[in-house]
Amino acid sequence: SFEAAKKLTAAGDYDAAIDAWTTLLEEAVAAHGETGAETAALYYRYGDALLRKAEESDQLFGGEEGDDKGAAEEAPPPAAGNSLAAGNSLSAAADDTDGEDDADDAAAAPDKEALAEDIQIAFEVLEVARTVFEATPGDEARKGLADCWLRLGDLDKMNGRFDTSVESYEKCLALRTQLHGAATREVADVHWCL
C-alpha cells in the first residue's frame, strides 16, 4: 500500500521501498495510463526512493573523491519539453589510472554500476513526474511539481552540475513561495539547498 511504501522509505529500507513503489506504479500505469494524473505522485516517490538510496550509497563510497565523482556519474541534462521518452541507462566504468587497488575496484564496480543505474532511473522517473505534474491543474499538483524540482536539483548537485541545480532549486522556491508564503519551513528548506 501507499502508506506501507512511505514507511519503508522513511525507515531507510530503500530496496524494499523501491520494490513497493514499483508495484504501486505498475498498477497505477495499468489502470490510468503512463501519464495519468494519478501516476505523478508514484513516479515522484519511486524516483525519490532511488535517489535516497543513491545518496546513501554515495556517502558510503566517500562521495566525491578527487576527480572521480563516486558512482554518481553524469545523468543526461533535462530535455526541453516532454521528457517522457526515457534515455539509455548509464554504464559506470571505474577508471583506475594508477593501477592500485584493482581487487577493490573490481568489487566496487558492480556497486557503482548499480548506483549509476539507480541515478539514471531516478532522473528519468522524476522527469516523468515533473511532466505529469505540470500538465495537472491544482495546488496539490503544484506542490508535487515543487518537490520534483527540489529532488532534480539534488540530483544535479550530486552530479556536480551546480548551475542546473540552482535553476531547479529556484523553480522549486518560486512554487513553494506562491503556495506557502515566504516565511515557512518549506521555503526555508529550499533556501538551505541553495
Side-chain angles (χ1 to χ4, degrees):
S1 76
F2 190 89
E3 290 303 316
K6 275 177 60 174
K7 286 179 183 177
L8 289 168
T9 303
D13 188 357
Y14 300 123
D15 288 327
I18 290 166
D19 290 342
W21 291 122
T22 300
T23 301
L24 290 169
L25 182 57
E26 288 171 350
E27 291 170 0
V29 167
H32 305 287
E34 284 188 11
T35 59
E38 298 81 358
T39 63
L42 295 171
Y43 279 118
Y44 169 77
R45 296 288 185 155
Y46 176 48
D48 178 59
L50 285 164
L51 188 52
R52 287 174 187 257
K53 179 181 174 187
E55 290 167 339
E56 181 179 84
S57 296
D58 191 46
Q59 291 171 1
L60 292 175
F61 283 121
E64 295 183 13
E65 290 183 13
D67 292 335
D68 183 14
K69 290 184 177 144
E73 296 296 323
E74 293 287 326
N82 190 341
S83 300
L84 293 179
N88 295 330
S89 294
L90 294 177
S91 61
D95 288 337
D96 185 13
T97 57
D98 59 7
E100 295 178 4
D101 299 324
D102 287 340
D104 290 340
D105 287 347
D111 290 338
K112 287 185 177 185
E113 288 178 17
L115 181 58
E117 185 175 336
D118 285 348
I119 291 169
Q120 176 64 26
I121 294 168
F123 168 76
E124 292 170 3
V125 296
L126 286 170
E127 277 292 304
V128 173
R130 180 190 60 79
T131 303
V132 175
F133 279 131
E134 283 179 341
T136 305
D139 283 348
E140 285 304 310
R142 291 177 58 206
K143 288 177 186 176
L145 180 59
D147 292 342
C148 283
W149 282 121
L150 182 70
R151 294 307 278 157
L152 286 165
D154 293 342
L155 194 146
D156 284 331
K157 184 168 63 173
M158 182 181 195
N159 286 324
R161 291 190 307 257
F162 300 110
D163 290 344
T164 307
S165 70
V166 168
E167 291 173 13
S168 295
Y169 289 143
E170 287 175 344
K171 289 176 182 179
C172 175
L173 181 62
L175 283 167
R176 285 190 174 178
T177 301
Q178 290 171 0
L179 290 165
H180 304 290
T184 61
R185 174 171 281 172
E186 292 84 359
V187 170
D189 183 38
V190 184
H191 280 292
W192 183 82
C193 294
L194 284 167

